[in-house]
Amino acid sequence: MKRFLLAAVFATLWAGAALADGAISIGDPHVRLVPPTAENTGIFMVIRNQGDKDVKLIGADSPASKKAELHTVIEEGGMKKMRPVHDISVKAKGETVLKPGDYHVMLIGLTKPLQEGDIVPLTLRFDDGSSQSLQAPVRKIQVPMGPAAAMPTK
Ligand SMILES: [Cu+2]
């Protein structure tokens, strides 16, 4: 009997893991076109979570830059500034939009200048252990904040 219960618990865990794997999908990923001299740029997208548990985006990697950080934009003394965040959460059955002036993935230290139409590979890591690999095209994007706030200080 004990053995049977244990088996049932494991079966439930497996089902949960399988569900979580397919729960996250990424919509419309794109990279902001920046001048050839710029060292950093932002990636935007919609992260959808069809699962019944909240998930968190906890990291990102891209061969297009030395590192990738998760950022948000805060207002401080009337200035909009970008700040790294530890994670970006996506509610169960919900979605989180990464967009200019808000959450984004920051590519820091571009390995080469990006041109409009270039495709940037990106891997996203989530706190449920899953990851998503995607291809984000480089696009011109209107910047809703002043040029001074467009780049991080470091
Ligand atoms: Cu940023």
Side-chain angles (χ1 to χ4, degrees):
M1 185 60 190
K2 216 173 202 174
R3 198 170 184 164
F4 173 76
L5 277 176
L6 210 61
V9 168
F10 277 116
T12 309
L13 286 175
W14 273 113
L19 220 71
D21 274 347
I24 299 161
S25 61
I26 309 297
D28 192 30
H30 55 284
V31 181
R32 173 186 281 159
L33 180 67
V34 287
T37 50
E39 293 180 358
N40 312 319
T41 190
I43 305 187
F44 311 99
M45 70 197 77
V46 181
I47 305 174
R48 294 190 191 89
N49 177 9
Q50 288 168 312
D52 46 19
K53 282 190 184 139
D54 297 358
V55 294
K56 286 176 178 167
L57 174 62
I58 54 170
D61 293 293
S62 174
S65 63
K66 284 181 196 134
K67 62 173 177 167
E69 288 183 351
L70 308 180
H71 277 190
T72 190
V73 175
I74 59 155
E75 199 161 333
E76 201 177 76
M79 293 267 294
K80 291 200 166 169
K81 296 177 180 175
M82 300 200 295
R83 285 284 178 275
V85 290
H86 182 258
D87 53 57
I88 296 172
S89 58
V90 187
K91 294 277 178 215
K93 309 280 180 199
E95 63 179 37
T96 297
V97 181
L98 280 59
K99 60 180 190 285
D102 204 327
Y103 287 123
H104 54 279
V105 175
M106 197 84 203
L107 296 182
I108 300 193
L110 291 170
T111 52
K112 67 179 177 70
L114 297 174
Q115 294 179 351
E116 194 170 5
D118 281 358
I119 300 294
V120 173
L122 181 72
T123 300
L124 303 175
R125 283 176 280 116
F126 295 89
D127 70 340
D128 62 357
S130 71
S131 62
Q132 291 271 335
S133 291
L134 49 107
Q135 311 271 326
V138 177
R139 268 195 231 152
K140 274 183 195 151
I141 299 173
Q142 295 296 327
V143 183
M145 51 186 176
M151 287 296 127
T153 48
K154 63 174 187 172

